[in-house]
Amino acid sequence: MLKRFLLLRGAEVLAFALLAAVPLAVNNPYALGLLTLLAIYGILLIGLDVTVGYLGQVNLAQAAFLGLGAYAAGLSVTALGFGLFPALAVAALVGLGLGGLLALPALRLEGPQFALATLSFSALSATTLNEWESLTGGAQGLSLSRPPLFGHALDAPAFYWLCLVLLALVWTGLRNLLSSQWGRAFEALRDSPIATDAMGVGTYRHKVAGFALGSALGGLAGGLYAFNFQYLQPNSYGYELMVILLLGVVLGGRKSLWGAFVGASLIVLLPNLLSNRFLFQVFSGLGLLVALVAGIRNLVRKTARPFQAIAPIVAMGLLVGGGMVVANTEDWRKAIFALMLFSVVVGLPEGLMGFAAQQLARLFRVAPPDLPPPAALDAVLPQQPGDATTLLELRDLKRYFGGVKAVDGVSMSVRAGDIHGLIGPNGSGKSTAVNVISGLYAPTSGELLLNGQALPQGSLFKVARVGVARTFQNLQLFGELSTLDNVMVALKGVYRSPLPLVLLGLARGEERQAQADALALLELVGLRDQARSKAKDLTYGAQRFLEIARALARKPELLILDEPAAGLAYPDVSKLVEIIRRIHQRGVTMILIEHHMDVVSELCDTVTVLDGGKVIAAGSAAEVKRHPKVIEAYLGSAGAA
Ligand code: ADP
Ligand code: MG
């Protein structure tokens, strides 16, 4: 236990202990200033990594949140007479609130548009800080003095320790958060936002929460920044800092607390690197060396295209050569940042820590902790009555895409406990029908009732919440997550701890429970012994089964399977039939879209046949098979596979 802790956390404990000991050992105000900045930028970059690393969004607003937090803390002290902690709390809350406000509209946008929204926010906040002179002092700046802590004035070492303690708290809290259901949701939504919603997790709300949290850390760092320099200037939080921060996160390595730490060190050291010719040459020489080693390795192992290996070498070569030619490297700093950013993005996309972590993982193999025994299936997937009452009813459902009448007036009712087959030739509207039921598309018209209540429309998330789960015709797994995590993300009713407990690391019990529950479902689909494999590394058949297990984690009343047998080899088809049987025994109602007529005959209690978006036959499998329209439309053309 202790050994495990030290193996995993030893480096962290050691690093923080060493950092804390520095002021005791050396009395060098300059070095202390750099270390204080390191702690502050560490908090800032950990916050930025939540959006850039975990949510996978290009966030250009973190420098602005640093500035807003700095002014919020500064003004709390100068105008309102707040103490140190209240002022820091205000700074963090300003980050949280404005971050949330920015995220609400901005995160409805995708990719480059989101980046632009954060860029506009930065411009707006910079202008406001500059122009609202009556409040901020404008370009003249704002002077403040560091408030005392519990009546004691904080000298430089004391303030440094305060920053370090806060960094340690942020570090621990974020690690707890990111290894909880929250972090799992962040990673899931990056791999498949659609499936995240369909599993009832809520892509949008998690993105907004993540962004607000990252911005709150930006605000907190800003507060510390204000008390560190005790003089604020609106121009400090502009374009240049924004680029440096991105460089820090990308170079250090995304999705990594250590990466943020390495990035922060780089940012702190940059001014020195640029102003000292000797240091610059050492640094750019090292950069060239890394680019050469990484590039040659990649070329030999063919893990990257030649361009990816060569471009960083050229860029770093330019840096070394340029450093010898130009008179003052500081004047060229923007070009230098650009070259570095380019090299990292192209040549070392996983960042320095990502690269180092791969090597370290090889040296120190720490086995993951043992998994608990699987929970009883009865507890995870309670037996449902399956009493043949009407569970789902569609009335004259239509969904048009422009002129294409994909679903054109479908009425059908699904009885509780049935396996209801939905068949028809390609393009007959089967997927569209279930996409409307599950909320991926809103219907053009028509009624949808679940247990007699109107089903929410056009929202995967809301439909998932009322007890409908689904799989996708084109797999939508969370490829980077383990098999176990894929199921855990979707688990319903296990995660109850409020956020503060999660941050304090007091939610481990429910994590354990979630593992046991997820294992029971993996056992049901025959994947228990692959719990730790990444989903993207599973065989195709196993991936299909995993999607079913994940959907079952929702404990659904209605489970929709869209062509689960598509692309499966024969032995896997029989496994699938067996799995569906087991689910049926639990009383779960299913809609099964299926091409293989023998599978349909074997499994389905009732069958609805679609053609051209309309129902052409309904009844038992034997009945519809004999129906002349079906023979003509489906069996005739598809060859009764
Ligand atoms: P099936 O699942 O039965 O093979 P689909 O429901 O996928 O059929 O498709 C029915 C029809 O609707 C097809 O003509 C298809 O091209 C069209 N369609 C499906 N989804 C879309 C979409 N998102 N945009 C436009 N047309 C679509
Ligand atoms: Mg389809």
PDB file of all heavy atoms in Angstrom, residues 302-319:
ATOM      1  N   LYS A 302       9.218   4.377 -38.419  1.00  0.00           N
ATOM      2  CA  LYS A 302       8.116   4.735 -39.313  1.00  0.00           C
ATOM      3  C   LYS A 302       6.847   5.091 -38.532  1.00  0.00           C
ATOM      4  O   LYS A 302       5.726   4.750 -38.931  1.00  0.00           O
ATOM      5  CB  LYS A 302       7.802   3.584 -40.280  1.00  0.00           C
ATOM      6  CG  LYS A 302       8.970   3.262 -41.213  1.00  0.00           C
ATOM      7  CD  LYS A 302       8.459   2.529 -42.448  1.00  0.00           C
ATOM      8  CE  LYS A 302       9.429   2.526 -43.611  1.00  0.00           C
ATOM      9  NZ  LYS A 302      10.746   1.970 -43.354  1.00  0.00           N
ATOM     10  N   THR A 303       7.014   5.748 -37.378  1.00  0.00           N
ATOM     11  CA  THR A 303       5.840   6.121 -36.597  1.00  0.00           C
ATOM     12  C   THR A 303       5.336   7.520 -36.966  1.00  0.00           C
ATOM     13  O   THR A 303       4.343   7.982 -36.427  1.00  0.00           O
ATOM     14  CB  THR A 303       6.141   6.105 -35.085  1.00  0.00           C
ATOM     15  OG1 THR A 303       7.409   6.718 -34.872  1.00  0.00           O
ATOM     16  CG2 THR A 303       6.160   4.692 -34.543  1.00  0.00           C
ATOM     17  N   ALA A 304       6.053   8.198 -37.875  1.00  0.00           N
ATOM     18  CA  ALA A 304       5.582   9.513 -38.298  1.00  0.00           C
ATOM     19  C   ALA A 304       5.952   9.693 -39.759  1.00  0.00           C
ATOM     20  O   ALA A 304       6.859   9.032 -40.264  1.00  0.00           O
ATOM     21  CB  ALA A 304       6.213  10.612 -37.452  1.00  0.00           C
ATOM     22  N   ARG A 305       5.237  10.573 -40.418  1.00  0.00           N
ATOM     23  CA  ARG A 305       5.597  10.842 -41.802  1.00  0.00           C
ATOM     24  C   ARG A 305       6.901  11.641 -41.828  1.00  0.00           C
ATOM     25  O   ARG A 305       7.224  12.336 -40.842  1.00  0.00           O
ATOM     26  CB  ARG A 305       4.471  11.632 -42.474  1.00  0.00           C
ATOM     27  CG  ARG A 305       3.325  10.722 -42.916  1.00  0.00           C
ATOM     28  CD  ARG A 305       2.105  11.525 -43.260  1.00  0.00           C
ATOM     29  NE  ARG A 305       1.544  12.133 -42.056  1.00  0.00           N
ATOM     30  CZ  ARG A 305       0.705  13.159 -42.060  1.00  0.00           C
ATOM     31  NH1 ARG A 305       0.346  13.712 -43.185  1.00  0.00           N
ATOM     32  NH2 ARG A 305       0.237  13.651 -40.929  1.00  0.00           N
ATOM     33  N   PRO A 306       7.653  11.558 -42.930  1.00  0.00           N
ATOM     34  CA  PRO A 306       8.945  12.250 -42.983  1.00  0.00           C
ATOM     35  C   PRO A 306       8.823  13.727 -42.625  1.00  0.00           C
ATOM     36  O   PRO A 306       9.654  14.274 -41.894  1.00  0.00           O
ATOM     37  CB  PRO A 306       9.374  12.070 -44.442  1.00  0.00           C
ATOM     38  CG  PRO A 306       8.685  10.827 -44.893  1.00  0.00           C
ATOM     39  CD  PRO A 306       7.404  10.743 -44.133  1.00  0.00           C
ATOM     40  N   PHE A 307       7.733  14.364 -43.089  1.00  0.00           N
ATOM     41  CA  PHE A 307       7.558  15.783 -42.802  1.00  0.00           C
ATOM     42  C   PHE A 307       7.550  16.038 -41.293  1.00  0.00           C
ATOM     43  O   PHE A 307       8.182  16.958 -40.788  1.00  0.00           O
ATOM     44  CB  PHE A 307       6.248  16.266 -43.439  1.00  0.00           C
ATOM     45  CG  PHE A 307       5.687  17.508 -42.813  1.00  0.00           C
ATOM     46  CD1 PHE A 307       6.219  18.751 -43.108  1.00  0.00           C
ATOM     47  CD2 PHE A 307       4.626  17.435 -41.908  1.00  0.00           C
ATOM     48  CE1 PHE A 307       5.706  19.893 -42.526  1.00  0.00           C
ATOM     49  CE2 PHE A 307       4.112  18.561 -41.325  1.00  0.00           C
ATOM     50  CZ  PHE A 307       4.654  19.802 -41.636  1.00  0.00           C
ATOM     51  N   GLN A 308       6.864  15.155 -40.580  1.00  0.00           N
ATOM     52  CA  GLN A 308       6.738  15.347 -39.134  1.00  0.00           C
ATOM     53  C   GLN A 308       8.070  15.195 -38.426  1.00  0.00           C
ATOM     54  O   GLN A 308       8.291  15.768 -37.369  1.00  0.00           O
ATOM     55  CB  GLN A 308       5.764  14.329 -38.555  1.00  0.00           C
ATOM     56  CG  GLN A 308       4.326  14.764 -38.687  1.00  0.00           C
ATOM     57  CD  GLN A 308       3.398  13.651 -38.263  1.00  0.00           C
ATOM     58  OE1 GLN A 308       3.426  12.563 -38.811  1.00  0.00           O
ATOM     59  NE2 GLN A 308       2.573  13.920 -37.279  1.00  0.00           N
ATOM     60  N   ALA A 309       8.944  14.387 -39.000  1.00  0.00           N
ATOM     61  CA  ALA A 309      10.240  14.198 -38.379  1.00  0.00           C
ATOM     62  C   ALA A 309      11.191  15.326 -38.746  1.00  0.00           C
ATOM     63  O   ALA A 309      11.980  15.784 -37.921  1.00  0.00           O
ATOM     64  CB  ALA A 309      10.815  12.849 -38.812  1.00  0.00           C
ATOM     65  N   ILE A 310      11.091  15.783 -39.989  1.00  0.00           N
ATOM     66  CA  ILE A 310      12.097  16.726 -40.483  1.00  0.00           C
ATOM     67  C   ILE A 310      11.766  18.169 -40.126  1.00  0.00           C
ATOM     68  O   ILE A 310      12.646  18.944 -39.740  1.00  0.00           O
ATOM     69  CB  ILE A 310      12.258  16.544 -42.008  1.00  0.00           C
ATOM     70  CG1 ILE A 310      12.881  15.172 -42.271  1.00  0.00           C
ATOM     71  CG2 ILE A 310      13.147  17.631 -42.596  1.00  0.00           C
ATOM     72  CD1 ILE A 310      12.806  14.734 -43.704  1.00  0.00           C
ATOM     73  N   ALA A 311      10.472  18.541 -40.205  1.00  0.00           N
ATOM     74  CA  ALA A 311      10.108  19.936 -39.977  1.00  0.00           C
ATOM     75  C   ALA A 311      10.594  20.470 -38.625  1.00  0.00           C
ATOM     76  O   ALA A 311      11.162  21.566 -38.571  1.00  0.00           O
ATOM     77  CB  ALA A 311       8.601  20.109 -40.132  1.00  0.00           C
ATOM     78  N   PRO A 312      10.419  19.728 -37.516  1.00  0.00           N
ATOM     79  CA  PRO A 312      10.912  20.263 -36.243  1.00  0.00           C
ATOM     80  C   PRO A 312      12.427  20.423 -36.229  1.00  0.00           C
ATOM     81  O   PRO A 312      12.950  21.346 -35.606  1.00  0.00           O
ATOM     82  CB  PRO A 312      10.480  19.209 -35.217  1.00  0.00           C
ATOM     83  CG  PRO A 312       9.401  18.452 -35.869  1.00  0.00           C
ATOM     84  CD  PRO A 312       9.684  18.468 -37.326  1.00  0.00           C
ATOM     85  N   ILE A 313      13.135  19.520 -36.925  1.00  0.00           N
ATOM     86  CA  ILE A 313      14.598  19.639 -36.961  1.00  0.00           C
ATOM     87  C   ILE A 313      14.981  20.928 -37.672  1.00  0.00           C
ATOM     88  O   ILE A 313      15.839  21.693 -37.218  1.00  0.00           O
ATOM     89  CB  ILE A 313      15.223  18.419 -37.676  1.00  0.00           C
ATOM     90  CG1 ILE A 313      14.862  17.139 -36.910  1.00  0.00           C
ATOM     91  CG2 ILE A 313      16.722  18.579 -37.786  1.00  0.00           C
ATOM     92  CD1 ILE A 313      15.353  15.865 -37.572  1.00  0.00           C
ATOM     93  N   VAL A 314      14.298  21.190 -38.783  1.00  0.00           N
ATOM     94  CA  VAL A 314      14.568  22.431 -39.517  1.00  0.00           C
ATOM     95  C   VAL A 314      14.251  23.633 -38.639  1.00  0.00           C
ATOM     96  O   VAL A 314      15.042  24.586 -38.526  1.00  0.00           O
ATOM     97  CB  VAL A 314      13.727  22.479 -40.814  1.00  0.00           C
ATOM     98  CG1 VAL A 314      13.893  23.826 -41.504  1.00  0.00           C
ATOM     99  CG2 VAL A 314      14.137  21.349 -41.744  1.00  0.00           C
ATOM    100  N   ALA A 315      13.096  23.601 -37.966  1.00  0.00           N
ATOM    101  CA  ALA A 315      12.686  24.739 -37.142  1.00  0.00           C
ATOM    102  C   ALA A 315      13.687  24.979 -36.016  1.00  0.00           C
ATOM    103  O   ALA A 315      14.089  26.122 -35.754  1.00  0.00           O
ATOM    104  CB  ALA A 315      11.289  24.492 -36.573  1.00  0.00           C
ATOM    105  N   MET A 316      14.105  23.895 -35.354  1.00  0.00           N
ATOM    106  CA  MET A 316      15.069  24.046 -34.260  1.00  0.00           C
ATOM    107  C   MET A 316      16.435  24.475 -34.800  1.00  0.00           C
ATOM    108  O   MET A 316      17.157  25.240 -34.166  1.00  0.00           O
ATOM    109  CB  MET A 316      15.187  22.733 -33.486  1.00  0.00           C
ATOM    110  CG  MET A 316      14.018  22.475 -32.570  1.00  0.00           C
ATOM    111  SD  MET A 316      13.953  23.700 -31.247  1.00  0.00           S
ATOM    112  CE  MET A 316      12.258  24.132 -31.251  1.00  0.00           C
ATOM    113  N   GLY A 317      16.778  23.990 -36.002  1.00  0.00           N
ATOM    114  CA  GLY A 317      18.016  24.427 -36.640  1.00  0.00           C
ATOM    115  C   GLY A 317      17.990  25.930 -36.877  1.00  0.00           C
ATOM    116  O   GLY A 317      18.960  26.644 -36.631  1.00  0.00           O
ATOM    117  N   LEU A 318      16.831  26.425 -37.318  1.00  0.00           N
ATOM    118  CA  LEU A 318      16.670  27.863 -37.520  1.00  0.00           C
ATOM    119  C   LEU A 318      16.900  28.615 -36.216  1.00  0.00           C
ATOM    120  O   LEU A 318      17.510  29.687 -36.189  1.00  0.00           O
ATOM    121  CB  LEU A 318      15.247  28.160 -38.010  1.00  0.00           C
ATOM    122  CG  LEU A 318      15.009  28.202 -39.511  1.00  0.00           C
ATOM    123  CD1 LEU A 318      13.532  28.430 -39.794  1.00  0.00           C
ATOM    124  CD2 LEU A 318      15.838  29.336 -40.131  1.00  0.00           C
ATOM    125  N   LEU A 319      16.387  28.020 -35.131  1.00  0.00           N
ATOM    126  CA  LEU A 319      16.517  28.671 -33.833  1.00  0.00           C
ATOM    127  C   LEU A 319      17.988  28.766 -33.429  1.00  0.00           C
ATOM    128  O   LEU A 319      18.466  29.811 -32.983  1.00  0.00           O
ATOM    129  CB  LEU A 319      15.732  27.850 -32.800  1.00  0.00           C
ATOM    130  CG  LEU A 319      15.058  28.604 -31.681  1.00  0.00           C
ATOM    131  CD1 LEU A 319      14.086  29.622 -32.213  1.00  0.00           C
ATOM    132  CD2 LEU A 319      14.338  27.624 -30.760  1.00  0.00           C
TER     133      LEU A 319
END
